[in-house]
Amino acid sequence: MEIAELASHIDHTVLRPDAQQVDVERACQVARELGCAAVCVNSIHVALASRLLNGSSVLVVGVVGFPFGATYTAVKVLETELAIEDGADEIDMVVAIGQLKDEKFDLVESDIAAVVHAAAGRPVKVILECGLLSDAQKQRGADIVAKAGADVLISNHTIFDGSKTKLPAMATRKPGGPHPYVIGTESVLRYLKVAEECAAAAMLRLP
């Protein structure tokens, strides 16, 4: 897969809690130059990203209930409506993780369905946070997302993907020792192969 093709499937994210205007500006510039699929930002930055990306093919994605999903459905709905008013083309919402683990499936479904309705036809991607779920919970969550009418399932965000657990290993790493963040050429090639296969099936978006 060529770089341009890969970039066209990437959602460039600026979701740090301390992200400033300059960070959003930089991300939007990079996304324009590379031809990324979208720039994903926190709610307060949706209007800025929308202005910066106006006239380009890069979409603006606003996050809802981020990062924990543990808020009122009414708040997620309001956040969705305001993000759309500010120019969001898509919505990324976080599933109610605790309710999913508690097997309160009707509540999880109604929460997602309410955001889908508020999005008024715009694509809704649901962040499932698979790193916190059992295999059975992942499958049930995926089924609920589909039933609720959402468009895309996102496996997890970097907050819960385990990458931060490697920081202590970095702190104690000796010169020449194994690097906890280096995964090797084989892993990179395998990742690109999977990405290419997903792209061919029109099922690829990379946050």
Side-chain angles (χ1 to χ4, degrees):
M1 180 183 294
E2 299 294 329
I3 292 177
E5 171 66 12
L6 181 62
S8 71
H9 296 285
I10 291 176
D11 287 2
H12 194 2
T13 60
V14 190
L15 297 173
R16 298 195 324 272
D18 62 340
Q20 298 175 258
Q21 178 172 326
V22 65
D23 300 309
V24 177
E25 291 171 343
R26 185 181 303 113
C28 288
Q29 180 181 351
V30 169
R32 272 181 174 271
E33 292 174 352
L34 295 179
C36 293
V39 171
C40 186
V41 294
N42 288 306
S43 300
I44 60 170
H45 293 135
V46 168
L48 172 61
S50 181
R51 290 196 301 272
L52 293 171
L53 295 172
N54 184 40
S56 77
S57 63
V58 183
L59 302 175
V60 177
V61 182
V63 292
V64 168
F66 188 83
F68 303 122
T71 189
Y72 297 109
T73 297
V75 173
K76 292 181 180 179
V77 167
L78 178 59
E79 196 171 11
T80 299
E81 294 170 344
L82 293 175
I84 290 172
E85 285 182 16
D86 281 346
D89 300 297
E90 297 181 355
I91 298 296
D92 281 9
M93 69 169 291
V94 182
V95 74
I97 306 166
Q99 290 182 338
L100 178 57
K101 292 171 74 72
D102 282 336
E103 300 187 0
K104 296 179 179 179
F105 303 131
D106 288 344
L107 292 178
V108 175
E109 182 181 341
S110 63
D111 184 61
I112 298 170
V115 171
V116 170
H117 179 74
R122 292 165 181 79
V124 174
K125 307 200 294 292
V126 181
I127 303 171
L128 201 57
E129 299 299 4
C130 291
L132 302 177
L133 304 175
S134 68
D135 288 343
Q137 289 166 344
K138 294 171 193 174
Q139 184 59 60
R140 190 58 184 266
D143 293 341
I144 291 171
V145 168
K147 188 178 178 182
D151 299 276
V152 177
L153 180 65
I154 300 176
S155 59
N156 58 264
H157 183 263
T158 53
I159 290 176
F160 296 118
D161 71 353
S163 60
K164 291 184 178 180
T165 62
K166 299 177 182 179
L167 291 175
M170 276 292 293
T172 58
R173 176 176 175 263
K174 296 179 180 179
H179 196 298
Y181 287 97
V182 174
I183 59 176
T185 302
E186 182 179 344
S187 295
V188 172
L189 293 176
R190 185 167 62 249
Y191 172 83
L192 292 174
K193 178 63 176 176
V194 171
E196 188 172 2
E197 291 173 351
C198 289
M203 296 175 61
L204 178 64
R205 287 291 285 276
L206 301 169

